[in-house]
Amino acid sequence: MREVCLGLKLLSRGGRGNRVRFLLMVVGSAIGVCCLAVVLAIPGLLAAQDSRKAAREPDCSNGRGGCLSTSGEGLALTRLDPYGSEILTRIFVAAERAHISPPPGISKIPGPGEVLVSPRLRVLLNSDPDLSNLLPGRRIGVISHQGLAHPDELYAYIGASRTELKGGGHVSRFGGKETDFPTVEPSTLDILRFTLAGVVLLPLAVFLSVCARLSAASRMRRLAALRLLGLSRKGTQRVNAAETVAAALLGAVLGLGAYWVVNESVSRIGLPGFKWYPADGSLSVTTCLVCLVGCPALAWFVGRVGAKKAAANPLAVRRSAVEKPPRLWGLLPLVPGLAIVVGYCVAGATGNVPTDTSFSAILMPLAVVLVGTGLVLSLPILSRVLARQVARATNSLSLGLAMRRNEMEPGGALRVATGLVLLVYAASLTQGVLIELDQVSKNTAPVQLYTMPLDDVPTETERELGKVPGVGGHVVLAQTWTDPDSELWSSMDVVIATCDQLRKMASTVHNCVDGRLARFTVPHHTDDDMSKPGSSFTFHLKNSAGKRRVVTLQVPSHTIEYHDDTAAQLVNSGTLLIPPSALPAGFRPEERVRLALLGSAAPGAVTSVLEGIAGVDPTIEVETAGLDPASLQQITVIKTLLAVGMVLGLVIGVAAYLVAATDRAVERRPQVTALALLGARPRTLRAVQVAQVVLPLTIGLVLAVVTGKMSESSYLVTGGGSVFWDGAGLPLLLASALGVVIVAALGALPLVGRKIDPELIRRD
């Protein structure tokens, strides 16, 4: 305790320079803790949204109109529809003569013809009148915030009669333990945590360490003097640690206060595609303890390690002895990390993609951490080796002085360049995550396919659906009847359409003859084994009056070459084409029959078609092939949070550079003054300063780009997508690295002043 009090006294009575340094340490710690709090608050924020979602869902709804139970007092039907880049959730409820407590956010369940909407949905209804087709009924109120995941959510409760909800599930209450539609799926949340750890937490640890070691040289001289006066080794370390802990603790308190201000202000403005209520972003007790205890603990560790040299050999510190060269053990983390990364890259290049995803889920993050740590620890070693070689070969005075300084003090390169190097490395990893997300639930085709069941849909409604504005073509999809008593459970896919209907659905249709049965052949598709010419298949048909008939047909030998532009081919090789004339008039397959519509894939066109379909039947279930609204919503949230992580990483990287570069320049003022008194011109000194910063930074950035692209490719290989190599992102990454070098060089120019202060070297 005596050493701790001594450290605090030295802090308070160390002069103006000491207080300024302490203030910088506090500000740096506050920035770091604020960024840490943002990262740690994200899981709790998402959990709060999911909790409100779970509290409002029908207890037996599976989201597709079915139900997990067959008992209950009311009926409920859940429909999810894409609305632009957002998701529109509609809950149809038939609760007549049922005693069901309303879900949170509303005072009563709407009756038939009544609608309750979220505030954002009410605004959209005023600007988009066709949206009312999806929300049939009279608006009787607005859902409060207790029943919404976030302020901008598109959510509605629609009252209906039991006859309108024939496919609805029985429901007796609202609310459950977990939501069926989380804001971010657990697997996707793991990707987010992995990326934020690389983008924010790894640079943050480096930044906090840099802040804890401000003015390391002058502090070590002071600690060495205390050691020579009789203070013990551990006591010397405690004196230094007390100062860093005081700065870290005060910075942690200020950082938590800064987070509260950021949360209150940003939550009211919102981020692109993601908004939340201020209470959702409140920090948990665990998060506060991590910030208030973890950061000072890190500062204590860094402070004790930083004072180790002064405690062990105080005379060498006081006499400014030459530092020992860095040990080669700093390369140790980089070697196994690169071995794992290279292994995955080779596996992807040779087509041997790993299938054990659980093993890769552990090995890949480990490789990323090892490579990132290896970049940090190997930088002084590589910088010293290159500086020695350049100093021997150059004839330039400026470059020679700069390289000799880097050779003698390789640790300075670590402090200055590490933050920006890790930033570029993390940017490459983030590119890989965004590429993987773009491969999920995104329709890149020029057309959009809509499919919907026709089991209980009247023939008149089917005709109206085919005439919806924006629909370019339509066909009926079905399957042949299968005998339930047969051991071989198999069926064939069937398309019921005319040749004209087919041509409106596909870009390639050859050999189609009206009124003639045929088999489809699709390029690069394998034929269905069940679809052999001459084999027979059976249809159980039904008309609108309820009459049933059985028709048996044979698989023809005539084939049609077919190809469409949908996200997934509408038909496969071996699928049968049956002209409507081959079936009895007014009859269609009894079960597993669907209607397929085709339209433009433009976001506005998709919304217009869905509104038109809802105008015909608002409760019908529409599947948008290649366009999953729930996944798109999650991807939007993930991209926004990744953007937040990149901004935090940029702030941390730039702050680490500014703090380290400024501190290093202040420490080097005696050497710069000595060189100036010996006749070195300011231009030469500035060139030396720029070279000292640019060389280690360039080495680190080259390593960051190479290892970052390799780590990104290995991540894509383990992600199971179709894209392994991101050549398109390389120019952007190189441009970012070049920009970092230019900024670092410009930032080093003003650090050499014009005035010479001999007082700085008087004691030397």
Side-chain angles (χ1 to χ4, degrees), residues 486-648:
S486 174
E487 295 182 359
L488 183 60
W489 183 269
S490 60
S491 62
M492 289 181 287
D493 294 328
V494 175
V495 176
I496 303 174
T498 64
C499 291
D500 183 58
Q501 288 177 311
L502 277 183
R503 294 187 182 98
K504 292 180 179 179
M505 297 289 292
S507 57
T508 301
V509 177
H510 295 315
N511 301 327
C512 185
V513 180
D514 284 321
R516 185 175 179 180
L517 277 70
R519 289 187 309 120
F520 288 102
T521 60
V522 181
H524 311 297
H525 278 223
T526 305
D527 286 350
D528 186 357
D529 293 336
M530 302 299 300
S531 179
K532 296 181 179 179
S535 60
S536 61
F537 57 94
T538 303
F539 274 120
H540 283 211
L541 307 177
K542 183 178 66 173
N543 64 5
S544 57
K547 295 182 179 181
R548 289 175 168 80
R549 293 183 62 176
V550 178
V551 174
T552 301
L553 300 173
Q554 284 189 337
V555 177
S557 59
H558 180 69
T559 60
I560 296 176
E561 185 179 349
Y562 176 93
H563 183 271
D564 60 45
D565 297 324
T566 58
Q569 282 289 321
L570 180 65
V571 300
N572 296 315
S573 287
T575 300
L576 304 178
L577 171 66
I578 300 179
S581 58
L583 301 177
F587 283 83
R588 69 184 181 198
E590 186 175 0
E591 295 179 349
R592 293 180 294 176
V593 56
R594 296 173 296 152
L595 176 65
L597 308 177
L598 193 71
S600 172
V606 173
T607 301
S608 177
V609 170
L610 291 175
E611 291 173 346
I613 294 173
V616 178
D617 185 352
T619 63
I620 195 168
E621 179 185 0
V622 182
E623 293 186 5
T624 50
L627 183 64
D628 186 347
S631 297
L632 284 178
Q633 182 82 358
Q634 291 188 40
I635 290 174
T636 301
V637 173
I638 289 294
K639 286 184 175 180
T640 299
L641 295 179
L642 286 180
V644 171
M646 286 302 297
V647 171
L648 294 178

Side-chain angles (χ1 to χ4, degrees), residues 695-761:
L695 179 70
L697 183 59
T698 303
I699 298 172
L701 290 177
V702 171
L703 279 175
V705 171
V706 174
T707 58
K709 294 303 295 183
M710 294 173 62
S711 300
E712 174 194 352
S713 298
S714 60
Y715 174 80
L716 292 174
V717 168
T718 59
S722 58
V723 177
F724 291 169
W725 321 111
D726 174 31
L730 187 58
L732 177 61
L733 200 62
L734 293 175
S736 302
L738 180 61
V740 166
V741 172
I742 294 174
V743 170
L746 294 177
L749 289 176
L751 299 182
V752 178
R754 295 182 178 181
K755 295 182 179 180
I756 299 176
D757 186 6
E759 182 66 20
L760 293 172
I761 60 173

Side-chain angles (χ1 to χ4, degrees), residues 93-96 109-115 137-138 158-162 164:
V93 184
E96 307 165 66
I109 298 176
E114 297 177 339
V115 181
R138 176 176 55 88
I158 305 170
S161 62
R162 290 177 175 268
E164 293 175 315

Side-chain angles (χ1 to χ4, degrees), residues 167-212:
H170 293 267
V171 59
S172 57
R173 66 183 180 88
F174 288 87
K177 294 182 179 179
E178 296 181 356
T179 176
D180 294 327
F181 310 103
T183 305
V184 177
E185 292 285 350
S187 59
T188 310
L189 186 58
D190 291 338
I191 296 175
L192 177 65
R193 289 170 176 161
F194 160 73
T195 309
L196 290 180
V199 174
V200 181
L201 297 185
L202 190 58
L204 181 60
V206 174
F207 174 58
L208 292 176
S209 300
V210 169
C211 292

Side-chain angles (χ1 to χ4, degrees), residues 256-273:
L256 292 178
Y259 169 80
W260 181 85
V261 174
V262 170
N263 178 58
E264 291 292 326
S265 57
V266 177
S267 62
R268 287 172 169 78
I269 301 173
L271 298 173

